[in-house]
């Protein structure tokens, strides 16, 4: 008789190894763009000695806006058919992107203002996408991956 727990644990390991392999071999680079921040600023919001607020002082002529970015690898699918089952509302003519990534990428995905997948698909090169809804944990027995849907902006 086969031990059922061994079979499930074995299946989970095989599943995870294959999904990891898919992401690493067929995944695309996705560039995440985070909220623009002001640099060259000495931020003094509250003067504790005088008990009042003060404006920030700048090291140069004024604030310098800096866009922070990061990259990740994810499986990218354009216009997937399953986005409708997750109640993603899309305007007519807009492109939807589904990313499948590791669950550890979720905090950055949620923090990103928008993403630009590095793909060569005609019509979407350099297109920007914003997160539509909350990333959905996925996996066999454990939530090791996440699926997120993004709508063209």
């Amino acid at each position: 008789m086969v031990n059922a727990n061994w079979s499930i644990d074995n299946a989970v390991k095989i599943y995870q190894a294959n999904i990891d392999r898919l992401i690493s071999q067929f995944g695309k680079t996705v560039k995440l763009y985070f909220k623009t921040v002001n640099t060259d600023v000495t931020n003094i919001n509250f003067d504790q000695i005088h008990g009042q607020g003060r404006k920030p002082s700048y090291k140069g002529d004024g604030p310098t806006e800096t866009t922070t970015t990061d990259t990740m690898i994810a499986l990218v699918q354009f216009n997937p058919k399953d986005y409708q089952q997750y109640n993603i509302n899309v305007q007519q003519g807009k492109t939807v992107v589904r990313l499948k990534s590791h669950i550890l990428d979720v905090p950055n995905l949620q923090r990103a203002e928008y993403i630009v997948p590095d793909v060569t698909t005609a019509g979407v090169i350099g297109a920007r996408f914003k997160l539509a809804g909350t990333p959905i944990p996925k996996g066999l027995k454990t939530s090791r991956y996440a699926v997120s849907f993004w709508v063209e902006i």
Side-chain angles (χ1 to χ4, degrees), residues 19 21-32 71-82 95-102 105 109 115-121 124-129 146-151:
I19 297 296
R21 192 174 304 116
L22 280 172
I23 291 173
S24 66
Q25 289 181 0
F26 299 108
K28 302 290 183 190
T29 300
V30 177
K31 193 166 189 178
L32 295 87
T71 57
M72 60 176 278
I73 303 294
L75 295 173
V76 178
Q77 182 175 0
F78 288 91
N79 296 317
K81 293 181 179 21
D82 64 342
T95 302
V96 176
V97 171
R98 182 181 65 205
L99 299 183
K100 185 163 190 174
S101 60
H102 290 94
D105 294 321
L109 290 171
I115 64 166
V116 176
D118 183 19
V119 295
T120 56
T121 304
V124 293
I125 296 172
R128 300 180 323 164
F129 299 87
V147 171
S148 55
F149 293 92
W150 299 76
V151 179

Side-chain angles (χ1 to χ4, degrees), residues 79 83-84 87-96 132 150-152:
N79 296 317
Y83 77 88
Q84 294 171 341
N87 296 321
I88 307 293
N89 293 322
V90 179
Q91 291 178 356
Q92 185 74 19
K94 293 289 186 178
T95 302
V96 176
W150 299 76
V151 179
E152 184 180 8

Side-chain angles (χ1 to χ4, degrees), residues 29-145:
T29 300
V30 177
K31 193 166 189 178
L32 295 87
Y33 291 82
F34 302 108
K35 187 175 179 180
T36 301
V37 294
N38 291 330
T39 57
D40 295 335
V41 177
T42 304
N43 196 3
I44 303 173
N45 292 329
F46 187 76
D47 182 348
Q48 293 185 2
I49 295 172
H50 298 100
Q52 56 185 328
R54 292 173 47 190
K55 293 181 180 178
S57 60
Y58 302 104
K59 298 175 186 172
D61 294 332
T64 303
E65 290 188 346
T66 304
T67 301
T68 307
T69 63
D70 198 2
T71 57
M72 60 176 278
I73 303 294
L75 295 173
V76 178
Q77 182 175 0
F78 288 91
N79 296 317
K81 293 181 179 21
D82 64 342
Y83 77 88
Q84 294 171 341
Q85 76 186 37
Y86 295 102
N87 296 321
I88 307 293
N89 293 322
V90 179
Q91 291 178 356
Q92 185 74 19
K94 293 289 186 178
T95 302
V96 176
V97 171
R98 182 181 65 205
L99 299 183
K100 185 163 190 174
S101 60
H102 290 94
I103 196 81
L104 297 175
D105 294 321
V106 168
N108 278 345
L109 290 171
Q110 290 179 312
R111 203 168 54 91
E113 254 189 270
Y114 64 93
I115 64 166
V116 176
D118 183 19
V119 295
T120 56
T121 304
V124 293
I125 296 172
R128 300 180 323 164
F129 299 87
K130 69 176 181 177
L131 184 61
T134 305
I136 303 148
K138 295 286 184 177
L140 189 59
K141 198 173 177 181
T142 61
S143 297
R144 183 178 172 119
Y145 309 99

